[in-house]
Amino acid sequence: LASVWQAVVSQKLLPSIDGGLVPAFEIMVLTPAIRNLIRERKTHQIDGIIYASSSDHMISMDTSIYNLFVNGIITRHTAILEASNPEMMEKRISQG
């Protein structure tokens, strides 16, 4: 898979403030570093690369969720509840 895939996009539908649903996305482009991690079965390290690689057109799910909160589309509660790392999300929101 590491040599075939070009990118992976995942979506999570979250309840919006207005009562509808809004998508949050995670985008992972398979860079040489990510391909190498997959080949070496070190997939637990991929999140760190996604967080550090915004210039490679990647975005983590938590960053997408945070952006929805900052733009007033979802509540603080939803952002923290749906985050991959709720403690980090709470800190990020509090510092924002």
Side-chain angles (χ1 to χ4, degrees):
L1 294 177
S3 62
V4 178
W5 285 352
Q6 297 302 312
V8 177
V9 178
S10 63
Q11 171 183 301
K12 190 181 229 187
L13 293 174
L14 306 177
S16 63
I17 288 176
D18 66 6
L21 294 173
V22 62
F25 295 98
E26 179 167 79
I27 301 170
M28 177 183 72
V29 177
L30 271 80
T31 62
I34 289 179
R35 289 181 194 282
N36 191 46
L37 289 175
I38 293 170
R39 278 191 294 272
E40 293 181 4
R41 299 178 190 264
K42 296 181 180 177
T43 55
H44 61 280
Q45 295 177 6
I46 291 175
D47 281 344
I49 291 178
I50 294 171
Y51 277 105
S53 299
S54 61
S55 62
D56 291 327
H57 307 290
M58 290 193 242
I59 185 168
S60 70
M61 183 62 73
D62 282 2
T63 298
S64 183
I65 291 170
Y66 177 75
N67 290 340
L68 290 171
F69 167 73
V70 168
N71 290 313
I73 298 170
I74 63 172
T75 65
R76 173 189 178 103
H77 175 75
T78 298
I80 294 168
L81 181 67
E82 297 293 339
S84 300
N85 188 333
E87 297 81 24
M88 267 312 248
M89 181 65 73
E90 193 163 11
K91 285 180 186 177
R92 192 172 184 186
I93 289 172
S94 296
Q95 294 172 351

